[in-house]
Amino acid sequence: MAIFMDVIKRHREILPRKIEKVIVCNNKNCASLKETYVKQSFILVDEENMEYKCEYCDSIQTLKAL
């Protein structure tokens, strides 16, 4: 995770549109946490604020907070 964050900080303008198996959803009821066959998957929604939305529960994760 630390290496991933270093890459994001250096190349902020090149954020991936989709991230899988890197971020863990903070919603306790999310399917990606409860079901083992569901992989954590996030879509970029705000590049400037580095915000990603969980594909399953629509919870927003900010990479700055991680």
Side-chain angles (χ1 to χ4, degrees), residues 1-2 5 9-11 13-16 19 22-23 26-28 30 32-33 35-36 41-43 46 52 55 60:
M1 183 69 170
M5 290 307 295
K9 287 176 186 174
R10 281 190 232 134
H11 301 287
E13 66 278 358
I14 308 173
L15 291 173
I19 296 177
V22 177
I23 304 172
N26 62 0
N27 180 356
K28 295 179 209 170
C30 183
S32 68
L33 295 176
E35 304 296 334
T36 57
S41 182
F42 291 82
I43 304 294
D46 187 348
Y52 283 85
E55 282 195 284
I60 300 294

Side-chain angles (χ1 to χ4, degrees), residues 1-56:
M1 183 69 170
I3 294 171
F4 179 74
M5 290 307 295
D6 287 341
V7 170
I8 294 297
K9 287 176 186 174
R10 281 190 232 134
H11 301 287
R12 186 173 175 164
E13 66 278 358
I14 308 173
L15 291 173
R17 297 286 171 217
K18 186 173 185 176
I19 296 177
E20 294 180 340
K21 301 181 187 177
V22 177
I23 304 172
V24 177
C25 188
N26 62 0
N27 180 356
K28 295 179 209 170
N29 298 318
C30 183
S32 68
L33 295 176
K34 294 186 174 215
E35 304 296 334
T36 57
Y37 62 90
V38 177
K39 60 185 171 186
Q40 289 118 3
S41 182
F42 291 82
I43 304 294
L44 182 66
V45 291
D46 187 348
E47 192 168 358
E48 186 175 314
N49 293 318
M50 297 171 55
E51 292 181 343
Y52 283 85
K53 178 178 75 170
C54 177
E55 282 195 284
Y56 301 101

